[in-house]
Amino acid sequence: MMKSELKAKLQRTFPKAKTVSSGRLFTRQLSNLIDDSIRQVFLEVSNGIPIKDHLCLIAVGGYGRRELAPFSDIDLLYLHDGKLSDKILSEIISKINTFLYNNDKEVGHSCRTIKESFLYLNQIETYHAVLDARFLVGSEVLFQKFKTEFLGKIPDKTIKEYNEWKLSYLRERIINSYNPILLSEPNIKNDPLGLRDIQQMYWIEKTNPLADSADGGIFDFYLIGDSLTLLSAYDFLLLTRSALHIISGRKNDRLDLGLQAEVAEFLGFGPKNEIKTLERFMSQFYKAQKDVYFYIGTYLDEKTNLNKKRIHKELSNPDTLYDDIIQFFRESQKNEEEPSRIDLNEIRFASHFLDDDFKNQKSVLDCFMEMLRHKKRIGHTLTLMHECNVLGKLIPEFGACTNFPLFSYHHQYTVDEHTLLILRELDVLIADLWEDPQVQDVFNSCEKIEILALAILIHDAGKVKEGDHCQYGAELALIIAERFRFSEEDTELLRFLVAEHIVMSELSSKRDIYDPNLISSFAKQFSNENTLRLLYVMTIIDTKSVGQAVLTNWKKEILHFLFTSTLTYLQNKTNRPDIQERIESTLETYLIEKEGLTAEQAEQIVSFGMQIRPTSYLNYNTPRRVYQHFVFLHEWIQSGSTFRLISEKEPAFVTLSLFANADKRMLLYLSGIISSLGLNLVGLRLFRSENEHLILQAQITDEFGSGEIAEPQINEIESTLADCIEGKVNIEDLASTTNIWKTLPQIPEGMVEELVKFANDLSDTYSVLEVRVPDSIGLVYRILKTLIDFELEVIFVRISTSADFAYDSFHIQTKNGKKIEDTGLLLSIKEKILSVARVKENQGIMEISF
């Protein structure tokens, strides 16, 4: 027979990995090809030799499990009964191994009798290999003796010791691990959550007396319970490993950055030169690892009987589900109890029923903030929430980072893993156990740790978009601050920490930090010393969590020098810049350093931002957004068109930016059109330029509360808006209908009490109107029309719905830019709003806070 025949067969089979889409089927086919060739060679070389029942070939290890990757070793056991001469054994072994070598296969072999096999049980690798023993060719009688007289008689003590070691190994390596376990360049076989960790469980089950004796490999042992996700994950990892071998042209289990794109293309995720291809592939890879992680956790708790189930509720009541889940984590944190992995798995399944209301429910948000204020186990608890798919439902801006790879040799972990590691470093600081006393002392003087924790959680959320992730992250921070109803002070602190989280690293590595002018310029960004302390601590633990040995002693020293120099300047400076000066300075610095504008161009844009009304414009828009508005507004003016509409996808919604001439009807047009398309308006903010041009920002979601809005729907909003402006469409009729079938459920009477509330104690320039009424099609449009009919200015709208009740807030003021203090006018507004909301006459509470 031709020496290279096997090699040719394998080479022809390799491309099939692209189409078979199953690692299990592909590796089994490769194993079958090797099986057939070895059997043929065995028959040839043993022809005429009196072997009879004296010798058999046994596949062991991965080959024994029929999980042979393209360039994996062929592990063989030449089992004999001791009656063959060394010469005959050597001749047969040499010919078979040489055949495999000539076909580019590495061989790992052993030659033993049944009695000799017992001598190697002290090596766990050998023990695992023989557990996967599978008959190939030769004496079947001898193989059956091997099974009964060796495998069946492995001492129970040995099995117990090895199984206990594996359970302990998995718990310490996976569950109790402090470090992130999703790596940017994972070893598919040996790194945490790789193939080997799944095999550890398989080998434990292989020794179960009730286990099936089938020789089909791992899959025969995981066909019960909630194991489908584990099987799918294992299948995908096998296929990925095979693709990596084929592309590398050698045995290679390290999925390094240089090969990831090629593997992704090979497996059908798209062209290798597109970043989306790589993102889709690595996201799927990390999802597989997460599924392995959860299975290991529940498996360990079941096997070791640790942390017996403590959930007393079935998590099935939709009326209490949100609070039940968030309270589960709150109690775990408060009592410093480690939840059972079985419980966590129940939470994970229940998380599929958390909808958009979860992130808006006040009781949930309040409970979450209590967790951040409770200075214990913040990072650990948030890590558990993330593992259960709960954290991303509550903070979708962070959820968008799940399994998001950075494709960087500098970053060793995914965005979410890196973020949670920083939060666990925060836990160490809170426990007063941090490795560096300098940093610990600074932290011990910090206030507003809850804002720091939230800033850490979303500091890299902007990386899911191209461009300046700090600016985009700051925009997300403002969105979150609104959702949590933060004060202006806390909102600004959160925005600042996210927007500036890399500034100290950049200054310390790229600028002369011994220059007094740099220190004074840097110090102008801080409203107080606490903000500087928080930013310094965040910078330190962020840098440490990028990867091992990134935070060197030298890096720590220069960051500490920058911090102490700036702190000294702030302590000695009596005339600090006011908030407006700081915002102007930040905007100007961004435009010059990040956008590359000249000082004259930057000054023009700063002037533009300062002149927009209301003056809160610069507080609610990042420098990136201000620059974007300046450009779009000028492009619209030069185009001569009626308006310009820009859309931008966010993690939880789509932002629409409308540029037009000042006209109150634009609010009505946009809200009415959105309602007619069955979309949800969740936020609306209105600004006017010095020349009375309108900048209208709207946040919209689909009917399910997600930001997955198709481009044709955006185009329809734009075309319908044009028709409204031209008078082709009656907005009154449009706002009262929807072009998709939708029936709002009947709310039981008395379930939620209707409310119209005015708050005049939150701002000097506007009143806050809160409305709680049953939701209905066109409700926002009708309330806005009511306010406009009263000749009021609407500067901000916040929309949320829970249990089919609308919970909406409107920031309103008089034409003169004042808050509304006429009690009679407020009463009239209340009655009209309840009327257009179709609430029965004289129902509904009215509250006014002055």
Side-chain angles (χ1 to χ4, degrees):
M1 65 184 296
M2 293 183 62
K3 290 183 178 180
S4 60
E5 183 180 347
L6 172 60
K7 180 180 177 181
K9 287 180 181 179
L10 292 171
Q11 290 292 339
R12 286 201 305 271
T13 306
F14 287 172
K16 300 298 181 184
K18 294 182 179 182
T19 55
V20 74
S21 299
S22 168
R24 177 196 185 192
L25 293 179
F26 180 71
T27 55
R28 179 166 289 207
Q29 180 66 5
L30 296 184
S31 301
N32 290 340
L33 288 174
I34 300 290
D35 287 357
D36 289 343
S37 295
I38 288 177
R39 288 182 184 122
Q40 289 181 42
V41 176
F42 181 83
L43 293 175
E44 288 181 13
V45 301
S46 64
N47 187 29
I49 300 177
I51 292 178
K52 295 185 179 180
D53 293 334
H54 304 310
L55 175 69
C56 72
L57 265 65
I58 299 174
V60 293
Y63 178 37
R65 294 191 304 274
R66 298 181 190 268
E67 292 172 0
L68 196 64
F71 289 95
S72 291
D73 294 351
I74 309 296
D75 291 324
L76 294 172
L77 168 59
Y78 292 87
L79 183 72
H80 64 98
D81 61 1
K83 297 179 181 179
L84 294 175
S85 67
D86 290 345
K87 180 181 178 182
I88 290 177
L89 288 172
S90 297
E91 182 180 349
I92 293 173
I93 292 171
S94 175
K95 287 182 178 180
I96 293 175
N97 287 2
T98 299
F99 164 78
L100 292 170
Y101 292 142
N102 289 338
N103 282 274
D104 294 341
K105 305 307 296 180
E106 293 294 322
V107 183
H109 84 274
S110 56
C111 181
R112 297 171 190 155
T113 63
I114 291 174
K115 184 178 180 180
E116 289 170 342
S117 296
F118 284 97
L119 301 177
Y120 296 91
L121 285 178
N122 61 339
Q123 300 173 12
I124 195 167
E125 294 83 3
T126 304
Y127 168 74
H128 286 154
V130 296
L131 286 181
D132 295 319
R134 177 171 60 87
F135 175 74
L136 281 176
V137 68
S139 172
E140 292 190 54
V141 173
L142 184 59
F143 179 70
Q144 289 303 320
K145 284 185 178 180
F146 177 79
K147 289 174 66 176
T148 57
E149 296 180 12
F150 171 63
L151 293 179
K153 293 184 178 179
I154 295 176
D156 291 341
K157 181 182 178 182
T158 300
I159 294 173
K160 183 181 179 182
E161 285 179 356
Y162 280 147
N163 285 352
E164 288 179 350
W165 178 87
K166 280 177 281 203
L167 290 172
S168 175
Y169 170 81
L170 286 173
R171 187 169 292 280
E172 294 307 312
R173 171 177 164 91
I174 306 298
I175 303 305
N176 294 341
S177 172
Y178 178 84
N179 292 319
I181 45 184
L182 298 188
L183 307 176
S184 59
E185 293 186 297
N187 183 301
I188 302 171
K189 180 180 178 182
N190 293 318
D191 272 346
L193 305 180
L195 293 167
R196 187 63 84 213
D197 285 342
I198 305 173
Q199 290 158 6
Q200 300 285 4
M201 294 184 289
Y202 156 73
W203 286 320
I204 293 172
E205 294 305 307
K206 189 84 171 178
T207 60
N208 187 331
L210 301 178
D212 188 358
S213 61
D215 61 2
I218 271 184
F219 282 80
D220 292 326
F221 288 87
Y222 293 117
L223 295 176
I224 58 172
D226 301 318
S227 58
L228 182 60
T229 54
L230 180 77
L231 298 180
S232 298
Y234 192 74
D235 200 42
F236 181 74
L237 294 177
L238 283 175
L239 188 63
T240 302
R241 185 186 185 213
S242 295
L244 182 60
H245 276 213
I246 293 167
I247 287 168
S248 303
R250 59 184 175 85
K251 181 170 67 174
N252 176 23
D253 296 328
R254 174 70 62 189
L255 189 58
D256 63 57
L257 291 170
L259 293 173
Q260 287 174 8
E262 290 188 66
V263 173
E265 182 180 66
F266 184 91
L267 293 178
F269 285 87
K272 64 182 178 182
N273 57 349
E274 293 183 7
I275 189 68
K276 288 294 182 185
T277 297
L278 198 48
E279 288 175 359
R280 282 192 292 267
F281 165 61
M282 290 306 296
S283 180
Q284 177 67 26
F285 186 90
Y286 291 134
K287 180 186 179 300
Q289 289 193 305
K290 287 279 185 74
D291 287 337
V292 174
Y293 173 85
F294 241 93
Y295 192 93
I296 288 175
T298 53
Y299 176 84
L300 289 174
D301 274 10
E302 291 281 5
K303 295 298 288 188
T304 57
N305 204 27
L306 292 176
N307 298 319
K308 287 187 177 180
K309 185 174 179 180
R310 289 197 298 265
I311 292 183
H312 301 297
K313 298 180 181 179
E314 290 303 317
L315 301 173
S316 58
N317 185 349
D319 295 330
T320 63
L321 179 64
Y322 304 158
D323 290 316
D324 288 344
I325 286 180
I326 197 70
Q327 286 295 338
F328 172 87
F329 291 105
R330 177 72 181 98
E331 291 301 313
S332 167
Q333 178 199 30
K334 187 166 66 174
N335 298 329
E336 297 188 43
E337 294 176 338
E338 190 63 22
S340 160
R341 292 282 153 176
I342 301 169
D343 286 358
L344 293 175
N345 209 31
E346 291 295 319
I347 297 283
R348 189 187 190 209
F349 287 133
S351 72
H352 294 288
F353 299 93
L354 297 176
D355 56 23
D356 195 51
D357 290 346
F358 181 62
K359 70 178 175 64
N360 292 315
Q361 185 159 304
K362 186 176 185 300
S363 60
V364 171
L365 298 177
D366 289 347
C367 184
F368 184 70
M369 288 308 299
E370 286 177 18
M371 292 165 66
L372 298 188
R373 292 189 185 99
H374 184 75
K375 293 184 181 180
K376 284 184 180 179
R377 294 162 55 101
I378 295 173
H380 182 70
T381 306
L382 295 191
T383 299
L384 295 177
M385 289 177 66
H386 184 53
E387 290 169 0
C388 296
N389 300 327
V390 171
L391 188 57
K393 295 289 184 74
L394 180 60
I395 313 288
E397 294 79 6
F398 171 74
C401 306
T402 301
N403 300 341
F404 191 83
L406 289 171
F407 315 120
S408 163
Y409 291 101
H410 182 56
H411 285 82
Q412 295 181 8
Y413 317 118
T414 58
V415 172
D416 53 334
E417 289 276 317
H418 161 67
T419 299
L420 292 166
L421 179 56
I422 305 174
L423 286 164
R424 293 197 293 275
E425 289 291 336
L426 182 63
D427 285 351
V428 179
L429 284 165
I430 289 172
D432 202 14
L433 296 172
W434 218 71
E435 60 196 38
D436 190 322
Q438 280 185 331
V439 179
Q440 185 70 61
D441 288 345
V442 174
F443 176 80
N444 291 343
S445 301
C446 287
E447 299 173 353
K448 297 282 186 181
I449 301 303
E450 69 276 11
I451 303 299
L452 173 62
L454 195 54
I456 292 170
L457 186 62
I458 61 169
H459 79 292
D460 272 351
K463 287 186 175 178
V464 299
K465 273 194 176 182
E466 295 181 11
D468 188 339
H469 80 279
C470 298
Q471 288 294 304
Y472 181 54
E475 290 159 20
L476 298 178
L478 293 172
I479 292 165
I480 290 169
E482 285 178 7
R483 195 157 70 236
F484 278 85
R485 297 171 176 83
F486 281 177
S487 66
E488 290 185 6
E489 179 185 352
D490 286 352
T491 297
E492 169 56 19
L493 178 58
L494 180 66
R495 184 209 65 79
F496 179 84
L497 291 175
V498 175
E500 306 299 336
H501 74 270
I502 64 171
V503 67
M504 291 190 77
S505 287
E506 290 194 336
L507 288 178
S508 63
S509 61
K510 299 177 182 178
R511 302 283 293 277
D512 179 9
I513 60 173
Y514 300 97
D515 181 357
N517 292 326
L518 179 133
I519 297 299
S520 62
S521 174
F522 179 54
K524 288 177 183 177
Q525 298 183 49
F526 297 94
S527 57
N528 54 55
E529 295 166 16
N530 186 59
T531 304
L532 172 62
R533 289 190 179 96
L534 291 173
L535 183 64
Y536 166 69
V537 169
M538 185 173 176
T539 303
I540 288 287
I541 57 179
D542 182 12
T543 305
K544 183 185 179 188
S545 303
V546 166
Q548 295 179 355
V550 174
L551 183 63
T552 60
N553 289 334
W554 171 79
K555 184 73 173 175
K556 279 194 290 186
E557 283 304 312
I558 59 174
L559 283 171
H560 192 259
F561 180 84
L562 176 60
F563 163 72
T564 53
S565 300
T566 308
L567 182 64
T568 301
Y569 182 91
L570 286 174
Q571 290 171 338
N572 295 336
K573 187 73 174 176
T574 54
N575 298 319
R576 296 181 188 171
D578 62 20
I579 295 175
Q580 208 63 27
E581 287 179 25
R582 281 206 326 277
I583 293 174
E584 287 181 56
S585 174
T586 301
L587 176 57
E588 184 177 18
T589 300
Y590 169 82
L591 294 169
I592 294 173
E593 295 188 359
K594 300 290 186 180
E595 298 292 348
L597 303 185
T598 64
E600 291 76 18
Q601 291 171 324
E603 185 179 349
Q604 185 182 4
I605 297 170
V606 170
S607 176
F608 158 79
M610 295 298 298
Q611 292 166 357
I612 289 182
R613 303 192 314 274
T615 55
S616 59
Y617 172 75
L618 289 177
N619 296 93
Y620 287 111
N621 287 282
T622 60
R624 181 191 82 96
R625 200 73 92 156
V626 174
Y627 179 46
Q628 183 187 69
H629 288 171
F630 177 83
V631 172
F632 286 151
L633 189 63
H634 278 265
E635 288 178 351
W636 164 67
I637 293 170
Q638 291 173 359
S639 71
S641 58
T642 312
F643 67 92
R644 182 171 186 184
L645 188 69
I646 303 295
S647 67
E648 187 172 1
K649 191 178 184 309
E650 317 285 357
F653 50 78
V654 169
T655 295
L656 299 179
S657 298
L658 174 65
F659 304 89
N661 289 314
D663 186 340
K664 292 179 180 178
R665 291 176 301 174
M666 288 294 180
L667 281 170
L668 302 180
Y669 292 157
L670 199 57
S671 60
I673 292 166
I674 289 167
S675 172
S676 73
L677 294 175
L679 301 173
N680 298 319
L681 179 66
V682 295
L684 196 64
R685 198 179 290 284
L686 179 65
F687 301 102
R688 288 181 174 83
S689 72
E690 181 186 24
N691 298 321
E692 290 301 315
H693 293 131
L694 196 71
I695 303 175
L696 182 59
Q697 293 172 288
Q699 300 163 352
I700 61 174
T701 67
D702 63 13
E703 60 179 320
F704 305 108
S706 82
E708 300 302 322
I709 298 176
E711 191 171 339
Q713 289 180 293
I714 303 295
N715 294 337
E716 189 169 356
I717 292 173
E718 189 169 9
S719 62
T720 309
L721 183 58
D723 289 342
C724 287
I725 293 171
E726 294 174 14
K728 296 179 181 178
V729 171
N730 185 321
I731 190 62
E732 290 278 352
D733 295 336
L734 191 69
S736 303
T737 60
T738 175
N739 65 7
I740 64 171
W741 186 81
K742 185 176 183 181
T743 302
L744 291 171
Q746 293 296 312
I747 306 296
E749 193 167 333
M751 175 179 169
V752 179
E753 195 165 23
E754 294 82 4
L755 168 71
V756 176
K757 178 180 179 181
F758 292 95
N760 267 353
D761 56 348
L762 301 179
S763 171
D764 295 330
T765 58
Y766 61 80
S767 301
V768 177
L769 163 64
E770 292 186 16
V771 179
R772 183 177 66 209
V773 292
D775 195 19
S776 61
I777 295 169
L779 175 64
V780 176
Y781 167 83
R782 295 194 302 277
I783 295 175
L784 284 172
K785 187 174 186 306
T786 297
L787 297 173
I788 289 173
D789 287 345
F790 277 101
E791 298 187 339
L792 299 173
E793 299 287 343
V794 180
I795 58 176
F796 172 67
V797 179
R798 179 72 184 167
I799 309 297
S800 63
T801 303
S802 181
D804 299 301
F805 254 73
Y807 293 79
D808 303 338
S809 299
F810 302 81
H811 293 191
I812 55 179
Q813 58 187 194
T814 66
K815 290 187 293 185
N816 300 323
K818 304 288 186 181
K819 59 185 177 183
I820 306 161
E821 300 182 291
D822 183 337
T823 307
L825 177 58
L826 293 175
L827 184 61
S828 299
I829 295 169
K830 174 252 182 181
E831 291 176 346
K832 183 63 175 176
I833 286 176
L834 290 176
S835 173
V836 300
R838 296 167 187 159
V839 175
K840 292 178 183 178
E841 192 174 355
N842 296 325
Q843 281 195 354
I845 301 170
M846 177 178 175
E847 296 180 8
I848 304 177
S849 302
F850 287 103

